Amino acid sequence: MSTSELHSRRTNGTSRAILDAARDLFAERGFEGTAVSDIAGVVGVADGAIYKHFPSKRAVLFEVIREFYEPVIDASESSLAGIDGIRNQLRYLIWLQLRAFAEEPEVCRLIIAEARPMEDYYQSEIAELNRRWTSLFVGVVSEGQATGDIRDDFPASLVRDLVYGGIEHIAWAATSGHGSIDPDRMADDLMRLVCEGLQPPPSSEDLDARVSRIEALLAEAER
Amino acid sequence: MSTSELHSRRTNGTSRAILDAARDLFAERGFEGTAVSDIAGVVGVADGAIYKHFPSKRAVLFEVIREFYEPVIDASESSLAGIDGIRNQLRYLIWLQLRAFAEEPEVCRLIIAEARPMEDYYQSEIAELNRRWTSLFVGVVSEGQATGDIRDDFPASLVRDLVYGGIEHIAWAATSGHGSIDPDRMADDLMRLVCEGLQPPPSSEDLDARVSRIEALLAEAER
Amino acid sequence: MSTSELHSRRTNGTSRAILDAARDLFAERGFEGTAVSDIAGVVGVADGAIYKHFPSKRAVLFEVIREFYEPVIDASESSLAGIDGIRNQLRYLIWLQLRAFAEEPEVCRLIIAEARPMEDYYQSEIAELNRRWTSLFVGVVSEGQATGDIRDDFPASLVRDLVYGGIEHIAWAATSGHGSIDPDRMADDLMRLVCEGLQPPPSSEDLDARVSRIEALLAEAER
Amino acid sequence: MSTSELHSRRTNGTSRAILDAARDLFAERGFEGTAVSDIAGVVGVADGAIYKHFPSKRAVLFEVIREFYEPVIDASESSLAGIDGIRNQLRYLIWLQLRAFAEEPEVCRLIIAEARPMEDYYQSEIAELNRRWTSLFVGVVSEGQATGDIRDDFPASLVRDLVYGGIEHIAWAATSGHGSIDPDRMADDLMRLVCEGLQPPPSSEDLDARVSRIEALLAEAER
DNA sequence: AATGAATGAGTATTCATTCAT
DNA sequence: AATGAATGAATACTCATTCAT
């Protein structure tokens, strides 16, 4: 079984072709802007054939999103254990999300702007994937709070909302033509901001120096 | 007279009735789910009458949003100067946004899920309002960076994206039935997180130890 | 009373302005393409004001056409008597029609493409004007047939249909961007064609010559 | 099987039924006066079914016209070569056009009053058919001018405009309830008028006189 | 698996005309 | 003469989905 088969339930045949065509068309024209017959036309089958493979147009969208989402989550779930330190783990998850937006902005747009406003989204498999994905993040934060690496005077879910909401905002603006995403730089900026906060780091040098001086003076005085 | 009517450009007559009916219907059924004739029916006029007051259905939506948005922005623009200190200003803006979501979650949902994905959104008056709104935040952060109250090793826009994206995520989850928003508590949590970051306050152990030593030395010296 | 008042029932005021605006708008956008409120907008009055001056939009169209048509007919009816000879009279009427198309192609288009297909056209004042106009032509032809200047083995109305139908065809093609009309040249061509027909003029020279030769021979032989 | 069906590209099925229903309805109520749902109702299918067979209502009109027009043109293009003499060819074409109007006045009305004023008419297949049709006529006239059977001191297109414009005028009047068309008689009248013109046949008096004189001379010489 | 013809509900927008003021 | 708000009927076209073959 190939790597791709691990993550994709359909490796060839009409189902595969439908998903490929749908992904491209959805990305190009949006979900509403793509007719089922458009998809069928690109695949080269009759309209009705789509319904032998998927129960509805929406199911095609959800599957397109799943195919994009699931491998990332699978990979990160297994990779996370191999990363040392809470900070590194958080950075990894943030970087992964940023890279997804940078590489497949259209699919991300589909998720945010098309799938999420759908009324049955929260009952869908996509929402479940999203929960798996964000719970990875929450898990790391909670663990950090347990070990004391992360302060625990706010819920982990708040951090999740802040970080993922923030990434979406950043990516949305970038996708809308107001810039582009450099995952590495952006991950660094975000990590710094989220970990250390807005307040300037206490210039502990001064304190150090002064205490050191006192110590020196005292030590001398002692003799 | 409701709060929104206080600031509205249309205080009575058919235009007012159309906006009221539209706000309720859009909130209840969404923009696409509401037919122009539904609005006309609630108002009690013929379908065509809507178009004597608004050029299109979309214009009605935009006006509903504007009526909600603009007073908040006007008020905050004038209030901000009277608030002392960068932190207090930031907290005020965050609290304002959270309260808006808490009080009118449906209109907020309209903005995020219906208006923003529209293709001409970025050319609309609503987008302009949004820019005014978020630039208030960016202004405060930038000022803080200039005065040294806020570290300046990342762009102010990153803070804006993080905070507003985060608030949206929080509010969206709350609106979707997974909780409710307490603006005051949430504003405190957010402020703490954003200002101080995830890392635990520096364990002053080291400093303690050294100061203890100083005390010991001094005590000895005294003798 | 000025010349223009002789032909126009409205010389100033709102009625005049309505007709002027309507003529321009109809010419530019067609009858269907022009809304009553467009006309009112150009005039600078409220929509309803139009109906204080004209019973319907169609009545405005008909009046615009009448104002164009009637002076031409009045003038030609009085001029015709002063023109000598059937041929010159026919040429005058043909030239008049061609010039009308050359000078006001848009109003002519209104008549042909907009007014005439209307179902009540044949009961309208415009149709009556048209009958006056074409009966001038029929009158001249009939008179010619009576005097023997025009052969009488076909109805005069056939000549009318041929000539006016032909002119319309020519003018329509010209108006549609396939050329332009030179009334003088075209009138000459049409007169020649209509008067003398397609067949080449009998080369009576030959016959003349031959008869002359015979006469010469006979004369000689006689001697 | 009707004449039109012989030449139709669609001989049965829903497309055929749509065209038949549309032709009748368009003829009866006009193009604008016929709703797509009217056509669907007569055929007995759902409204949407029309659009599986034709891209638009206008396309249905154009196809109705094409079905009427094309067979006539095909037939005349192939028949023309078998007709001897320019005059007979012209008469054939004129007669064909007159007969078309006599037999299917409603379709002719559709062409003239509904299709031709449409703004994209000149880019349509119908305009192309019309060009083929009238170019047949122009071809015969031009050939006649080349062989000397037709005088060449005016463009062949002028003859075309005159004849077809004239026929339309005649037919239009007839269709509007002011008479009916007898293609044979009308073709004769038109041919005479167009070929020989308005002017009376040259009074052969002069020639008579001279020939008489010759006869007298010969008679005398004989003695 | 595939066809592909058929469904049929669903809707924003226009605009000539009216009428109370 | 003028207003201008209100009328309300009228309509082409789309498209996800079904089903007999």
Side-chain angles (χ1 to χ4, degrees):
Chain A
M1 193 183 256
S2 79
T3 303
S4 78
E5 275 166 345
L6 270 172
H7 302 121
S8 176
R9 298 200 273 236
R10 339 228 178 193
T11 48
N12 49 40
T14 303
S15 293
R16 177 76 265 134
I18 290 171
L19 288 169
D20 288 341
R23 186 185 50 233
D24 293 348
L25 289 167
F26 287 159
E28 195 183 330
R29 314 180 193 174
F31 178 73
E32 304 277 359
T34 302
V36 171
S37 62
D38 293 338
I39 301 171
V42 170
V43 175
V45 296
D47 293 16
I50 304 291
Y51 291 86
K52 298 293 178 211
H53 299 267
F54 299 92
S56 69
K57 184 188 175 190
R58 176 173 301 190
V60 178
L61 172 66
F62 283 174
E63 180 63 11
V64 164
I65 293 176
R66 196 193 61 73
E67 282 200 339
F68 160 76
Y69 226 147
E70 204 164 62
V72 179
I73 298 170
D74 287 348
S76 51
E77 279 176 341
S78 59
S79 301
L80 209 57
I83 295 176
D84 220 32
I86 296 296
R87 270 199 173 223
N88 289 335
Q89 288 182 342
L90 288 184
R91 191 187 182 283
Y92 175 66
L93 292 175
I94 287 171
W95 176 85
L96 228 41
Q97 180 85 340
L98 284 165
R99 198 194 53 174
F101 268 106
E103 287 189 350
E104 302 242 33
E106 292 304 338
V107 180
C108 293
R109 216 210 64 231
L110 280 179
I111 298 172
I112 297 170
E114 313 253 30
R116 203 153 57 195
M118 286 175 176
E119 46 186 25
D120 58 354
Y121 167 78
Y122 283 99
Q123 283 73 51
S124 74
E125 200 183 356
I126 301 304
E128 178 52 34
L129 280 175
N130 187 256
R131 278 187 287 271
R132 266 177 67 197
W133 169 241
T134 58
S135 72
L136 274 183
F137 191 91
V138 171
V140 172
V141 172
S142 297
E143 198 193 320
Q145 290 180 320
T147 60
D149 289 323
I150 293 177
R151 55 197 291 189
D152 58 2
D153 51 351
F154 37 64
S157 67
L158 179 68
V159 188
R160 175 204 61 198
D161 287 333
L162 194 74
V163 169
Y164 283 121
I167 290 177
E168 257 173 41
H169 234 240
I170 292 162
W172 190 275
T175 307
S176 304
H178 305 291
S180 73
I181 302 177
D182 173 351
D184 290 294
R185 245 181 68 108
M186 192 64 83
D188 285 337
D189 280 353
L190 262 178
M191 279 302 290
R192 217 176 326 124
L193 174 50
V194 167
C195 292
E196 299 163 22
L198 293 174
Q199 67 191 353
S203 57
S204 40
E205 263 179 85
D206 288 348
L207 204 60
D208 263 0
R210 288 165 68 192
V211 171
S212 298
R213 248 187 324 241
I214 293 172
E215 289 174 330
L217 284 171
L218 287 171
E220 199 171 335
E222 190 172 328
R223 262 179 286 143
Chain B
M1 191 184 258
S2 80
T3 302
S4 73
E5 277 165 348
L6 269 172
H7 302 277
S8 172
R9 297 201 275 229
R10 334 214 184 201
T11 49
N12 48 44
T14 304
S15 293
R16 174 76 266 134
I18 290 170
L19 288 170
D20 289 340
R23 186 183 50 229
D24 294 347
L25 288 167
F26 288 160
E28 193 184 329
R29 314 180 191 174
F31 178 73
E32 304 277 359
T34 303
V36 171
S37 60
D38 293 339
I39 301 172
V42 170
V43 175
V45 295
D47 292 18
I50 304 289
Y51 292 87
K52 290 280 183 249
H53 300 268
F54 300 92
S56 68
K57 184 188 174 189
R58 174 173 301 194
V60 178
L61 172 66
F62 282 177
E63 180 63 10
V64 164
I65 293 176
R66 195 193 61 73
E67 282 200 340
F68 159 76
Y69 224 147
E70 202 163 61
V72 179
I73 298 171
D74 287 346
S76 51
E77 278 177 343
S78 60
S79 300
L80 209 56
I83 296 177
D84 218 34
I86 295 296
R87 270 198 173 224
N88 289 334
Q89 289 182 342
L90 288 184
R91 191 186 183 286
Y92 175 66
L93 292 175
I94 286 172
W95 175 86
L96 228 40
Q97 180 86 339
L98 285 164
R99 196 195 54 173
F101 267 105
E103 287 188 351
E104 302 240 33
E106 292 304 338
V107 179
C108 293
R109 218 210 64 229
L110 280 178
I111 297 172
I112 297 170
E114 313 254 31
R116 202 153 58 195
M118 286 177 175
E119 48 185 25
D120 59 352
Y121 168 78
Y122 283 99
Q123 283 73 50
S124 74
E125 201 185 352
I126 302 303
E128 177 53 33
L129 280 176
N130 187 255
R131 279 188 284 271
R132 265 177 68 197
W133 169 241
T134 58
S135 73
L136 273 184
F137 191 92
V138 171
V140 172
V141 172
S142 296
E143 199 194 318
Q145 290 181 321
T147 61
D149 288 323
I150 293 178
R151 54 195 292 188
D152 58 2
D153 52 351
F154 38 65
S157 68
L158 179 68
V159 188
R160 174 203 61 199
D161 286 334
L162 194 74
V163 169
Y164 283 121
I167 290 176
E168 256 174 41
H169 233 241
I170 292 161
W172 191 275
T175 307
S176 304
H178 305 291
S180 73
I181 301 177
D182 173 351
D184 289 292
R185 247 182 65 107
M186 192 64 83
D188 285 336
D189 281 353
L190 261 178
M191 279 302 291
R192 219 175 324 120
L193 174 49
V194 167
C195 291
E196 298 164 22
L198 292 174
Q199 69 192 352
S203 66
S204 31
E205 264 180 82
D206 288 350
L207 206 58
D208 263 2
R210 290 165 74 189
V211 171
S212 296
R213 238 171 325 174
I214 293 172
E215 288 173 332
L217 284 171
L218 286 173
E220 198 171 334
E222 195 172 315
R223 260 181 287 146
Chain C
M1 193 183 257
S2 78
T3 303
S4 77
E5 276 167 345
L6 270 171
H7 300 122
S8 177
R9 298 198 274 232
R10 339 228 177 191
T11 49
N12 49 42
T14 303
S15 294
R16 178 72 267 136
I18 290 170
L19 288 169
D20 289 340
R23 186 185 50 234
D24 294 345
L25 288 167
F26 289 159
E28 194 184 329
R29 315 179 192 174
F31 178 73
E32 304 276 1
T34 302
V36 171
S37 61
D38 293 338
I39 301 172
V42 170
V43 175
V45 295
D47 293 17
I50 305 289
Y51 292 85
K52 298 292 178 209
H53 300 266
F54 299 91
S56 69
K57 183 187 174 190
R58 176 173 300 189
V60 178
L61 172 67
F62 284 175
E63 180 63 10
V64 163
I65 294 176
R66 196 193 60 74
E67 282 201 340
F68 160 78
Y69 226 147
E70 202 162 63
V72 179
I73 298 171
D74 287 347
S76 50
E77 277 176 343
S78 59
S79 300
L80 208 57
I83 296 176
D84 219 33
I86 296 296
R87 271 200 172 224
N88 289 335
Q89 289 182 343
L90 288 184
R91 191 188 182 283
Y92 175 65
L93 292 175
I94 286 171
W95 176 85
L96 227 41
Q97 180 85 341
L98 285 164
R99 197 194 53 172
F101 267 106
E103 288 188 350
E104 300 243 33
E106 292 304 338
V107 180
C108 293
R109 216 210 65 229
L110 279 179
I111 298 171
I112 297 170
E114 313 252 32
R116 204 152 59 194
M118 286 175 176
E119 47 185 26
D120 59 353
Y121 168 78
Y122 283 98
Q123 283 73 50
S124 74
E125 200 184 353
I126 303 302
E128 177 52 34
L129 279 175
N130 187 256
R131 278 188 285 273
R132 267 177 67 196
W133 169 241
T134 57
S135 73
L136 273 183
F137 190 93
V138 171
V140 172
V141 172
S142 297
E143 198 193 320
Q145 289 180 320
T147 60
D149 288 325
I150 292 177
R151 53 195 295 187
D152 58 2
D153 51 353
F154 38 65
S157 67
L158 180 67
V159 188
R160 175 204 61 198
D161 286 334
L162 194 73
V163 169
Y164 284 122
I167 289 176
E168 255 174 41
H169 234 241
I170 292 161
W172 190 277
T175 307
S176 305
H178 305 290
S180 72
I181 302 177
D182 173 352
D184 290 293
R185 249 181 65 108
M186 192 64 83
D188 285 336
D189 281 354
L190 261 178
M191 280 302 291
R192 219 178 322 122
L193 174 51
V194 167
C195 291
E196 299 163 21
L198 293 174
Q199 67 192 352
S203 58
S204 38
E205 265 181 81
D206 289 348
L207 204 60
D208 262 1
R210 288 165 70 190
V211 171
S212 297
R213 245 186 326 236
I214 295 172
E215 287 175 331
L217 285 169
L218 286 172
E220 201 172 332
E222 188 173 328
R223 258 179 289 144
Chain D
M1 193 184 258
S2 80
T3 302
S4 74
E5 276 164 351
L6 270 172
H7 302 277
S8 173
R9 298 201 274 228
R10 335 214 181 199
T11 50
N12 48 41
T14 304
S15 293
R16 176 75 266 135
I18 290 170
L19 288 169
D20 289 341
R23 187 182 50 229
D24 294 347
L25 288 167
F26 288 159
E28 194 184 327
R29 314 179 192 175
F31 178 73
E32 304 276 0
T34 303
V36 171
S37 60
D38 293 339
I39 301 172
V42 170
V43 175
V45 296
D47 292 19
I50 305 288
Y51 293 88
K52 289 277 184 251
H53 300 269
F54 300 92
S56 68
K57 185 188 173 190
R58 174 174 301 192
V60 177
L61 172 67
F62 282 176
E63 179 64 8
V64 164
I65 293 176
R66 196 193 60 73
E67 281 199 342
F68 159 76
Y69 224 147
E70 202 163 62
V72 179
I73 298 171
D74 287 347
S76 51
E77 278 177 344
S78 58
S79 301
L80 209 57
I83 296 177
D84 220 32
I86 295 297
R87 269 196 175 228
N88 289 334
Q89 289 182 343
L90 286 184
R91 191 187 183 283
Y92 174 67
L93 292 175
I94 286 171
W95 176 85
L96 227 41
Q97 179 86 339
L98 285 164
R99 198 196 51 174
F101 267 105
E103 287 188 350
E104 302 240 35
E106 292 304 339
V107 180
C108 293
R109 216 210 68 229
L110 281 178
I111 297 172
I112 298 170
E114 313 255 32
R116 201 151 59 193
M118 286 175 176
E119 48 185 26
D120 59 351
Y121 168 78
Y122 283 98
Q123 282 73 52
S124 73
E125 200 184 353
I126 302 303
E128 177 53 33
L129 280 175
N130 186 257
R131 280 188 284 271
R132 266 176 67 196
W133 170 240
T134 58
S135 73
L136 274 182
F137 191 92
V138 170
V140 172
V141 172
S142 297
E143 198 194 320
Q145 290 181 321
T147 61
D149 289 325
I150 292 177
R151 55 195 292 188
D152 58 2
D153 52 352
F154 38 64
S157 66
L158 180 68
V159 188
R160 175 205 59 198
D161 286 334
L162 194 74
V163 169
Y164 284 121
I167 290 176
E168 255 173 40
H169 233 239
I170 291 162
W172 189 274
T175 306
S176 305
H178 304 290
S180 73
I181 302 177
D182 173 352
D184 290 294
R185 246 181 67 106
M186 192 64 85
D188 285 336
D189 281 355
L190 261 179
M191 279 302 291
R192 217 174 326 119
L193 174 50
V194 168
C195 291
E196 298 163 22
L198 293 174
Q199 68 190 351
S203 67
S204 29
E205 263 181 87
D206 287 350
L207 208 55
D208 261 3
R210 289 164 72 188
V211 170
S212 297
R213 241 173 329 187
I214 294 171
E215 287 173 332
L217 283 171
L218 286 173
E220 200 174 329
E222 191 172 320
R223 255 177 294 147

